[in-house]
Amino acid sequence: MKLEAGARMDLFRKLWKARELIVGVFIPLSLLPLPLIYPTSEACCAYVLMVTAVYWVSEAVPLGAAALVPAFLYPLFGVLKSSEVAAEYCKDTTLLLMGVICLAASIEKWNLHKRIALRMVMVAGAKPGMLVLGFMCCTVFLSMWLSNTSTTAMVMPIAEAVLQQLICTGLADSHSNSETTEAPEDDDDKEENLEKNQFELLYHNESDCSKQELSTQSEVQTDELNDLGLKSIANQDYNGTTNGHLPQVAVEIPNVKREKERRNSRYPTKRDHMICKCLSLSITYAATIGGLITITGTSTNLIFAEQFNTRYPDAKVINFGTWFIFSFPIAIIMLVLTWLWLHFLFLGCNFRETCSLNKKRKTRREMLSERRIHEEYAKLGPISYPEVVTGVFFILMTLLWFTREPGFVPGWTSLFEKKGYRTDATVSVFLGFLLFLIPARRPFSSSHCRDTDDNPLAPMITWKDFQRLMPWEIVILVGGGYALAAGCKVSGLSVWIGRQLEPMNGLPPWAVTLLACLLMSAVTEFASNPATLTVFLPILSALSETLHINPLHTLIPSTMCVSFGVMLPVGNPPNAIVFSYGHVQISDMVKAGFGVNLIGVAVVMLAITTWGISLFNLTEFPAWVVARNITGSL
């Protein structure tokens, strides 16, 4: 029996190790009867969609490789021609992403991100609450323009250096957390702390004892207490003489278990551990919040923009400006509420202690941490010429995006005769291309610039710099999503799905949007954010058209909520980066992430039912949806 049980366990282990191969082979074979029994375009497209979705959710193969499934299955089943599928893998958003990555490479190469982060933290100070808020603000700002993963990877080492300074200072001085410089505690506060942490012993002696005997007895008892490892605190004005009584001696009874735990722990106190948890989690949440603000902030925004503009080419409502106007208030509200939630969860509700800007209330550890931050900033030296150029390009790209087609006034594209040829990708690729031309050394300057290999004409970035940051897997993943969407449209699968959802016709628009948001935020905890959105966008679009709801009413909130995979390390790469530093456990991420999830869904629903209605005119069923349906039926 034991041999049989051992053999079964060995078989289970082998099957578990080969689970990805089993899923990769078994799923296509098990679903194959669908297109064979029902050889229609809808069934063939559904087969391709289900196989790709299972691969994405299970990650049996890499995401980029799974995105190539439509490239060979659509032509095999006769859904799309090979040339038509290939055209879907490189769209306008691909060029937009490439231009942004050029700017991101320059920012990282010349340490502009580090200068921005340290400067913001210097302004915020080293009080725990303000320190967390400062790191969150700089992470949100950087994540608006860089990918969430890159931003977290850039900011987390800076935060870790500050946390290690706090830990090292706390190990050297375990009581400094309660001491303040230039502002001693009142006597009442000292007495309260004494009553909580110490046990008072009062020694009375006979009045006929001589002063010498009393003095000798005091010295002997003090020596005995010190030998026992007890901390005696005598009166400050005691000079060795008494009036017949020994001074009051407060003896601290050591907690052996607590001291052993402190020696075995990497943190001086539990409060230090809470600060590490709070600061670590705040960075990954701030990166997620910052990615919501701009179209280029995260790959899911790009997927939505391209799929929406492809499905509804006459809409002309989604661009950099309109998305920013809608999402920026959401990010600000989420930033404040998330900070308050993390502060309450890990630091408590004493905001006066953790957020005070009064220098007299700073502890020694906080002052040393501020000194460490200033030292790190000083290592950067004065701002360099490449940093100035990168900053100018950063501001210029943002201004050109905003002023291309602002909506309320004519944009700079109105200066050209032909309309509709210039997009946000045109701006980003043009400025990104210039970074390969502009020398990194100031003209007519003999000063040496690092990373230029003594070449006075070395450009701001090289192809290696660009290649190191370019997420080709995301590009192919996004292309696979476009191919799936095109197949659903051509085959008629999206229309069939819409007909199956007609029973939901009685629900109000806000209820449909809320259900979609909850579904997206739940699924994305276990699946890739881009993969989840790519699978659900065609379904939600068909649902909105069937229920005669403006598609933006459902698609925009769903796109934002798919980024709220913040409860598990596998939810998104920033979570995994923060988890790898070892300050937080999965239980901490689940507890904190659940609150952030609720905050995000609530704020997004507030936005889409208030300023979103007036911004996108969501109360009317738009004409561009009707035009699309008429064109599709023809």
Side-chain angles (χ1 to χ4, degrees), residues 311-382:
R311 188 179 181 93
Y312 308 107
D314 298 330
K316 307 296 182 183
V317 292
I318 295 297
N319 54 44
F320 187 89
T322 55
W323 183 274
F324 183 88
I325 293 172
F326 175 75
S327 59
F328 185 72
I330 295 177
I332 296 299
I333 298 173
M334 281 195 65
L335 174 64
V336 175
L337 294 180
T338 301
W339 175 69
L340 292 175
W341 165 245
L342 292 176
H343 195 290
F344 166 76
L345 196 62
F346 296 107
L347 303 179
C349 297
N350 191 356
F351 290 91
R352 183 180 179 183
E353 176 186 348
T354 61
C355 302
S356 174
L357 297 177
N358 188 358
K359 293 184 178 180
K360 293 184 179 181
R361 297 184 62 87
K362 290 181 180 178
T363 64
R364 174 173 173 267
R365 301 174 60 192
E366 293 165 355
M367 295 181 69
L368 289 176
S369 298
E370 286 189 0
R371 188 184 306 169
R372 175 64 179 270
I373 295 171
H374 282 270
E375 290 174 355
E376 290 292 327
Y377 188 82
K379 291 179 182 178
L380 297 177

Side-chain angles (χ1 to χ4, degrees), residues 258-271:
R258 184 184 306 163
E259 293 295 330
K260 184 177 180 180
E261 290 178 353
R262 179 176 296 179
R263 286 196 301 268
N264 295 335
S265 175
R266 57 184 289 196
Y267 308 100
T269 62
K270 183 179 179 181
R271 180 175 177 78

Side-chain angles (χ1 to χ4, degrees), residues 421-465:
Y421 282 75
R422 289 146 291 275
T423 64
D424 292 335
T426 309
V427 174
S428 64
V429 172
F430 172 66
L431 295 180
F433 174 75
L434 290 181
L435 290 173
F436 289 99
L437 292 178
I438 298 177
R441 188 177 298 183
R442 182 182 296 141
F444 311 109
S445 175
S446 59
S447 60
H448 177 72
C449 185
R450 69 176 185 87
D451 295 335
T452 59
D453 298 328
D454 294 328
N455 181 6
L457 298 179
M460 291 285 297
I461 59 173
T462 63
W463 187 257
K464 287 184 178 180
D465 300 326

Side-chain angles (χ1 to χ4, degrees), residues 498-573:
R499 291 172 182 168
Q500 310 310 311
L501 299 174
E502 286 182 357
M504 298 179 64
N505 201 16
L507 294 177
W510 67 266
V512 176
T513 302
L514 179 60
L515 290 176
C517 290
L518 294 176
L519 176 65
M520 299 294 274
S521 60
V523 174
T524 193
E525 294 291 349
F526 309 97
S528 165
N529 299 352
T532 302
L533 186 66
T534 303
V535 171
F536 280 97
L537 272 182
I539 299 174
L540 294 176
S541 298
L543 173 63
S544 300
E545 294 173 9
T546 302
L547 303 182
H548 286 272
I549 301 173
N550 191 320
L552 292 173
H553 201 295
T554 306
L555 299 183
I556 291 180
S558 300
T559 301
M560 291 193 163
C561 289
V562 82
S563 296
F564 300 153
V566 294
M567 293 176 60
L568 296 172
V570 298
N572 54 49

